[in-house]
Structure formats: C-alpha cells, structure tokens
Amino acid sequence: MSESKKYVLSEDRIPTHWYNVVADMPNRPMPPIHPQTHEPIGPEALAPLFPMALIQQEVSTDPWIEIPEPVRDIYRMWRPTPLVRARRLEQALDTPAHLYFKYEGGSPSGSHKPNTAVAQAYYNAQEGVERITTETGAGQWGSALSFACQTFGLGCQVYMVKVSYEQKPYRKLMMNTWGAEVIASPSGRTAAGRAILAQDPDSPGSLGIAISEAVEVAAGDEHTKYSLGSVLNHVLTHQTVVGQEALVQMEMAGELPDVVIAPFGGGSNFAGLSFPFLRLNLREGKKIRCLASEPTSCPKLTRGVFRYDFGDTVGMTPLLPMYTLGHTFVPARIHAGGLRYHGAGVIVSQLLKDGLIEAEAVDQIESFEAGVTFAKAEGIIPAPEANHAIASAIREAERAKEAGEARVILFNLCGHGHFDMAAYEAYFAGELERHELTQQQIDDAVAKLDTPTEPVMAK
Ligand SMILES: *Cc1c(COP(=O)(O)O)cnc(C)c1O
C-alpha cells in the first residue's frame, strides 16, 4: 500500500484498509503502565483477554492495516453508508454553510459500533475462541457485538447493567434475537457479582460492575475472550472506514470540510470520522478542524486533566494516559448514555494535548433542541449521543452565518434514536435539566486521583 495515497477504497467503495493515525502522530501516545510499579507494560499482559491479532493492532505503528475479506463481506451488508448534504437543515437555519452528515444508523444494530464488533468477532473466531463476553449499559454495544458474533458462529454473553436491563427490554430482545445470552448485572454467575449482591441484593448495577463480571468470566475460561466497544486503539482504528468513505464522498461532492464534528464518549466514532481527515493535516498540511462534542455533565476533554488513570471504574485495568475526570467520577444521569465515560482513548487524548484536535461541551437541553430541529428538517431521529454533534454543527453554521461564509461542515450521525424515545419523552415533558459541573465538583473528582503523569522507567 502506497503511503502517499490519500485514501484506500476498492471499486466496490468499501475501504480495503483501516487507517492507523499513530503512524502519523508527531508524539506517539505514552505506554500503558502497571497499576502498582508504574512501569510500562507490554502487549503480553493483554493476552488472557484479547486475541493476538487485536493485541498487535493495539500496539501497531503501521499506517494501514488490511481489512480481512470476510469482514469486508459483512461490511457490504450496509456499507458504504450514505453521506448526505443536509440542505433542508441549511434552509431551516438560513445559513450559507454547507452541512453534510455521514449516516451510520443504517447498520444492523443502528449505530457505528458494528464496524469494530464485526472485526473483533472475526479475529476471535480465527484464533479458535468460542465465546465472547462483554458489558453493555444503554445496549448499543451489546447489540452490535451480538450481531457480529452471530455472523461468525461465536457465542456471546452480555452483562447488561440491571437498571438498563429492566428499562430497555427491547435492546435485550434484540441481542436475544441474534442469539446472545443477556444477563442482568450484578448476577450470581461471578464472584464479583455475588460480592455486590451479598452487600446489596437490590443493587441497580453499574458499568464498572458489569465490566468486572465480563472480565472475570473471560479470564477464567481459555475458550472465552472479552471485548470492548470504544477507547482502545484497535477499536478506534476499525472505525476509520467511516472517515475514509466520507473523504471520497466529499470529493465526489466537490468539497473538503472546514470542520469535522463528532460526539465523544470514549472516542471511537469521533476517531472513525475524523482521523482520515486529520491525516491530510498531518501529511499534506491541510487545516481541517476536527472537533469532538462532549456533554457538559461529563466534560473530560474540556475540563478534565491529562493523567494516568484506570480505564474502568473499579480499577482493574492497566493505567492509561488520558484526559479524565477520575475513574471514580459518577456523571449525572443524562440521557446520552453512551457519553457518560469518565476518560478518553489514549490516541485522542494525546492529539488533544498536542493541539491537533479540538473539543467543546454541549448541554443536554441544547443537544435535544438540535436533535429535534434536525429530525424535523431531515427526517431521521438521531441517537441522543449524535445530538451533541448536531448541536455543535448548528453552532458552527450560526457562526458561518454571522461571518457570511459558506463554510463546509461535516458531522457524524453515528446512530438513530429509535430505542431512545424515552429520552425524547423526558425532553418533551420538560424533565431534562441543564447540567454544568461546578469547578469544586471537578476539583473533588480529580483530587481523588493519586496516579502519575509519567511512567516510571524500569531499571
Ligand atoms: C457508543 C456510542 C457513542 C459513544 O462512543 P464513542 O466510542 O465515543 O463513539 C456515541 N454514539 C452512539 C450512537 C453510540 O452507540
């Protein structure tokens, strides 16, 4: 693969390679470190949980990683996804800006998440793994992985946070339809779950507890591995099919975006859309702004600190260098469940630290206002997470109007909101509140972190 190629696309318009931005970063991310010694840990530490192919991708510095043909074959079920010029939204806003969105909601489970779920299921099947465990909160990731495991004949066990299990029965049934076993967490299946239940039989569960259960099962069974839907490098890389397609589609439209916008939870859909454009900045001196849109109630990028921190809430993972509010930070219950993560992927964190990408925070009421404006203009009802990107895109369009400039704005409509209508109901009923954390709340959350800013180098 020639390094000078601007994008990688076969004649059927599905990319042949994933793009790994690490190859082009001026400062590579710092290594994961051991929670006690604070020394860098090697990829072998991940071997009990992930197949070798994914561990290699996790530490890869190659710019392009070939997409296996069986994975492209599954992608073909819904890819390439449409790039749409939102002309009716432009009219509704009366803006000279050109607004484009890339729509990932047409995937089987309704979001961008199958782009990595399918790849992860494939490599696990290749290495003889029989079953994958994972956790899910709102249910987007659990459904994507259930679909993906089914396509490669793998078993799938999803630990679903108990409150969601009870409040979102249709997400659970979706997973069941694809053959997955869905277990309300905390459960009696694991030591971690039993310990919680012994203290509190009515525990509503949390993502942290569900992670502990899924990891415990994978670590204790040689035929079972574990899978994550965001944050990790290989996950971000898999999502770059989105941006590569968008780049070609923008060229077909005869435009290059001035700004690329995506909502931000752990960073995967943001990375997926923006990294192929960021590549043009890093290699060809283009100046495309890449803007991550996060909720004001969980503002790790705009108000967090850059520190080593645990990837999970319980403190079981290696320490990762990232923007974080501290792993014990509990965000207010906002309805964009997918954006409540305390930290951020290490690649995105390093890029933000180096000023190569930007971030802003959007309140949930502004985000729902934007989502409803969008739905009225373009027809599609967006996932609450995607509403943050729409709100940021509308802000940019308003600025373009003030400046009288035909700026080109591209955003990721990373999922539809058909399973999230209860959140819209709460918004219509006026039950959503503005959530702005005080500086004291941020300081208190971050003060609990006693982790280092630099690795300790082994002697
Ligand atoms: C999971 C999810 C997110 C947040 O995760 P990222 O890794 O930041 O993309 C955003 N939107 C949707 C629709 C999701 O399912």
Side-chain angles (χ1 to χ4, degrees):
M1 178 57 52
S2 146
E3 286 216 8
S4 63
K5 267 203 167 165
K6 263 195 295 202
Y7 51 83
V8 198
L9 207 78
S10 73
E11 58 295 324
D12 63 7
R13 302 203 177 280
I14 294 173
T16 57
H17 292 66
W18 293 299
Y19 169 58
N20 179 14
V21 74
V22 171
D24 293 322
M25 287 170 70
N27 295 314
R28 300 237 161 114
M30 295 192 293
I33 60 174
H34 190 278
Q36 274 85 48
T37 65
H38 296 170
E39 288 172 9
I41 57 161
E44 65 291 343
L46 299 171
L49 293 183
F50 301 102
M52 270 330 287
L54 292 176
I55 294 173
Q56 278 158 12
Q57 291 177 12
E58 190 59 23
V59 297
S60 171
T61 54
D62 295 339
W64 300 104
I65 296 169
E66 189 167 5
I67 308 177
E69 202 46 46
V71 172
R72 296 183 73 240
D73 226 34
I74 306 293
Y75 280 173
R76 227 168 253 127
M77 291 168 73
W78 73 94
R79 308 208 70 84
T81 61
L83 178 96
V84 182
R85 169 98 182 256
R87 286 187 191 273
R88 297 177 62 88
L89 181 61
E90 290 171 16
Q91 278 161 18
L93 300 173
D94 186 27
T95 175
H98 294 187
L99 283 158
Y100 292 85
F101 65 91
K102 180 75 167 157
Y103 185 45
E104 290 293 307
S107 79
S109 63
S111 78
H112 63 289
K113 287 205 170 72
N115 296 329
T116 182
V118 169
Q120 294 190 45
Y122 167 79
Y123 290 113
N124 275 284
Q126 281 296 101
E127 296 185 26
V129 174
E130 291 169 11
R131 187 175 64 154
I132 302 182
T133 62
T134 197
E135 70 285 338
T136 199
Q140 281 278 17
W141 172 240
S143 9
L145 192 68
S146 302
F147 158 74
C149 284
Q150 199 279 325
T151 61
F152 291 109
L154 287 171
C156 183
Q157 195 180 59
V158 181
Y159 287 88
M160 186 169 187
V161 178
K162 196 190 276 168
V163 274
S164 306
Y165 183 92
E166 285 161 2
Q167 286 171 3
K168 295 189 111 185
Y170 298 126
R171 274 282 169 201
K172 170 192 171 285
L173 286 161
M174 220 175 163
M175 298 181 232
N176 292 147
T177 305
W178 284 312
E181 184 186 7
V182 186
I183 299 154
S185 167
S187 78
R189 303 273 187 109
T190 64
R194 286 190 295 274
I196 301 286
L197 289 174
Q199 285 174 5
D200 177 9
D202 297 323
S203 164
S206 71
L207 216 42
I209 298 168
I211 293 174
S212 309
E213 293 206 272
V215 167
E216 181 183 324
V217 171
D221 176 2
E222 59 172 326
H223 303 296
T224 300
K225 299 256 184 224
Y226 168 73
S227 171
L228 262 179
S230 184
V231 180
L232 296 181
N233 301 354
H234 66 269
V235 180
L236 271 54
T237 300
H238 295 157
Q239 290 294 350
T240 59
V241 289
V242 177
Q244 291 185 67
E245 287 177 8
L247 182 52
V248 178
Q249 290 165 320
M250 289 298 304
E251 284 181 349
M252 286 166 71
E255 304 213 82
L256 193 65
D258 296 301
V259 56
V260 177
I261 304 171
F264 195 98
S268 78
N269 90 84
F270 170 77
L273 181 66
S274 70
F275 285 1
F277 291 94
L278 186 63
R279 177 172 179 274
L280 303 183
N281 295 353
L282 297 172
R283 294 188 69 95
E284 296 175 16
K286 293 269 193 317
K287 292 199 164 53
I288 302 163
R289 293 171 51 219
C290 298
L291 174 62
S293 186
E294 66 178 5
T296 51
S297 57
C298 193
K300 60 278 185 118
L301 298 178
T302 51
R303 301 179 73 191
V305 289
F306 185 84
R307 270 292 264 287
Y308 271 98
D309 193 11
F310 292 103
D312 63 330
T313 23
V314 185
M316 292 197 312
T317 68
L319 290 167
L320 302 169
M322 58 173 164
Y323 278 95
T324 180
L325 294 164
H327 62 280
T328 56
F329 175 78
V330 182
R333 249 188 55 89
I334 67 154
H335 283 283
L339 306 185
R340 298 181 73 221
Y341 185 60
H342 67 272
V346 295
I347 295 178
V348 196
S349 294
Q350 186 67 45
L351 289 168
L352 183 66
K353 186 163 178 260
D354 291 342
L356 297 169
I357 61 170
E358 303 167 32
E360 69 180 17
V362 172
D363 175 81
Q364 64 173 347
I365 295 186
E366 181 182 345
S367 82
F368 272 96
E369 274 164 15
V372 171
T373 301
F374 178 86
K376 284 178 175 161
E378 298 293 328
I380 300 168
I381 298 175
E385 292 87 354
N387 287 345
H388 291 75
I390 298 170
S392 289
I394 290 178
R395 286 184 186 176
E396 291 293 331
E398 303 283 353
R399 276 182 216 127
K401 186 173 169 179
E402 279 159 31
E405 287 175 15
R407 284 181 206 160
V408 181
I409 301 164
L410 166 64
F411 63 92
N412 207 1
L413 192 63
C414 52
H416 67 64
H418 298 179
F419 290 86
D420 304 288
M421 295 317 295
Y424 281 85
E425 184 180 28
Y427 166 67
F428 292 135
E431 288 164 9
L432 298 193
E433 288 163 23
R434 279 187 203 281
H435 268 295
E436 186 88 34
L437 291 162
T438 64
Q439 194 53 42
Q440 192 60 46
Q441 285 170 308
I442 303 255
D443 292 346
D444 289 349
V446 169
K448 291 193 199 130
L449 269 178
D450 54 0
T451 48
T453 49
E454 298 279 334
V456 172
M457 284 310 164
K459 288 166 251 4

